[in-house]
Amino acid sequence: MGKPIFFVKKKGLFTTYQDLGRYGYQKYGVPVSGAIDQLALKVGNLLVGNSIREAGIEITMLGPLLIAENKCLIAITGAHLGAKINGKPAPLWKAFLLNKGDELSFSGPQEGMRAYITVAGGFDVRTVMGSKSTYEKADIGQAIDDGDIIKCNNSYEEHTKSKLHQNGNVIRNHWLATHTVPTYGKHIVARIISSPHREQFTSTSLKTFAQTTYTVKQADRMGYRLTSPSPIEHNIGADIISEPIPVGTIQISANGQPIILMSDRQTIGGYTTIGTVITADIPKIAQLPPGGTIQFQVVTVDVAHMLIKEERTMLAQIALGVTGCGAQALALINE
């Protein structure tokens, strides 16, 4: 049995449990789901001494109102949604203690769209098909509702003793260095890998795509609908034989407007694709609000791989700063 840590007084606009996703079931039509900004979740978990694969609470724009049931170590990462402890600004990108009776609230978005709460020891959440992620449309995973009691796997004291001590020394760095904290603008440049379908678009449209600034018309966990005055033209139509869809795929439907597919995307799709957003830039998309704008820049697979290696190095440095032990740090990012 887990230990109670939060009473959910109000659940907020869209608040769910998410880890890094549900893999191995796409062949049965089950979406991967998982945190839409996985970097923010990974960092949050490391700051409290968890594996990067542990589940956190994903908050979209208007956050919940939570009352601490017991002492716990938490971190809030991702978007600045006006997090407050007992009415005073809460630290972001930093682990800190909540005491029993403390009230965690969110006043509204100031920068970005999605924030993450992680807790030392991880949330005690039902695992479904190998993941704690919630896919609401199919009622997969454990929902968060008003009146719920949220639990964690270990008490703060147990987790500190087992995970956050090394040779008798308490963890050293609970925070992310200021210069490494992501910023979430309302205009972004997203790097993409070109799609093998590019020959199905007119050469003029390919140039238009590269030079156009798109506006986010709609945005949810499934995808981002973009719009511009200059639609993309197909050579022979928008339909293809359905094929698997990785996260970040940019479909161009018959209306010529792009759709970027995200964590809750369908497993296969039958529209032509013009490119795929590289993994390192998915968090930029995840934090872009409706009305935000985006431009695309084509890069090579080598560049995409280099950026992932840089991210992994950064995560390893965070884990080392928290644990003070190289072996423990590697375990947290490799578990």
Side-chain angles (χ1 to χ4, degrees):
M1 295 292 291
K3 182 167 184 175
I5 54 166
F6 289 126
F7 169 73
V8 183
K9 195 167 183 179
K10 293 181 180 179
K11 67 178 181 178
L13 177 65
F14 191 68
T15 305
T16 60
Y17 295 110
Q18 300 293 341
D19 55 23
L20 297 187
R22 181 172 287 108
Y23 288 90
Y25 296 91
Q26 292 180 83
K27 60 186 175 182
Y28 305 116
V30 180
V32 174
S33 298
I36 192 166
D37 182 346
Q38 296 205 349
L39 178 61
L41 176 63
K42 290 176 182 178
V43 172
N45 270 318
L46 291 177
L47 291 175
V48 296
N50 294 341
S51 159
I52 61 172
R53 300 187 182 280
E54 187 53 70
I57 293 177
E58 182 179 273
I59 299 163
T60 304
M61 296 190 75
L62 298 176
L65 176 57
L66 306 174
I67 310 299
E69 294 281 301
N70 281 289
K71 183 179 180 181
C72 56
L73 180 72
I74 73 166
I76 303 172
T77 56
H80 186 350
L81 300 183
K84 290 181 170 60
I85 305 297
N86 301 325
K88 297 181 179 179
L92 302 179
W93 301 93
K94 178 180 181 179
F96 61 95
L97 282 173
L98 285 182
N99 293 304
K100 185 175 181 179
D102 283 347
E103 181 180 272
L104 174 59
S105 62
F106 296 82
S107 61
Q110 298 180 33
E111 183 183 286
M113 271 191 75
R114 295 177 173 88
Y116 295 83
I117 301 172
T118 50
V119 63
F123 291 102
D124 181 21
V125 181
R126 183 175 69 252
T127 298
V128 181
M129 290 179 277
S131 172
K132 296 179 180 179
S133 290
T134 303
Y135 178 52
E136 191 180 63
K137 292 180 180 178
D139 197 25
I140 296 174
Q142 186 170 322
I144 297 175
D145 291 312
D146 292 353
D148 281 357
I149 298 293
I150 294 175
K151 299 179 180 180
C152 66
N153 291 317
N154 298 312
S155 69
Y156 166 66
E157 291 78 11
E158 290 169 336
H159 188 71
T160 300
K161 183 177 180 180
S162 65
K163 287 276 190 178
L164 303 181
H165 279 65
Q166 176 65 18
N167 299 324
N169 296 317
V170 183
I171 53 175
R172 302 179 299 171
N173 298 326
H174 284 281
W175 59 88
L176 196 61
T178 303
H179 71 277
T180 61
V181 171
T183 57
Y184 305 121
K186 292 185 178 180
H187 172 74
I188 65 169
V189 175
R191 291 161 290 191
I192 68 170
I193 303 297
S194 292
S195 164
H197 299 160
R198 287 176 71 89
E199 292 182 359
Q200 295 188 227
F201 302 100
T202 66
S203 57
T204 299
S205 284
L206 291 175
K207 292 178 182 177
T208 298
F209 177 75
Q211 297 169 359
T212 296
T213 297
Y214 290 94
T215 300
V216 177
K217 183 178 180 180
Q218 293 175 303
D220 61 19
R221 285 183 46 84
M222 184 174 182
Y224 277 55
R225 290 185 178 273
L226 310 182
T227 185
S228 84
S230 305
I232 304 298
E233 296 180 353
H234 297 83
N235 279 320
I236 53 173
D239 295 333
I240 59 170
I241 296 173
S242 292
E243 63 181 24
I245 300 176
V247 65
T249 294
I250 307 170
Q251 288 184 331
I252 308 293
S253 61
N255 69 3
Q257 301 294 348
I259 304 169
I260 307 174
L261 295 171
M262 301 295 278
S263 295
D264 284 352
R265 67 199 179 277
Q266 67 272 33
T267 56
I268 60 173
Y271 287 133
T272 48
T273 65
I274 202 165
T276 301
V277 178
I278 66 173
T279 302
D281 283 356
I282 292 294
K284 293 183 185 179
I285 308 292
Q287 298 293 356
L288 191 63
T293 58
I294 179 170
Q295 292 177 295
F296 296 103
Q297 176 187 356
V298 176
V299 297
T300 64
V301 173
D302 286 343
V303 168
H305 286 172
M306 177 191 70
L307 292 168
I308 287 298
K309 289 177 181 177
E310 289 178 358
E311 178 185 300
R312 185 173 175 80
T313 298
M314 181 194 74
L315 292 173
Q317 290 171 342
I318 295 169
L320 181 60
V322 168
T323 64
C325 171
Q328 276 188 310
L330 287 176
L332 293 182
I333 62 173
N334 290 326
E335 285 180 1

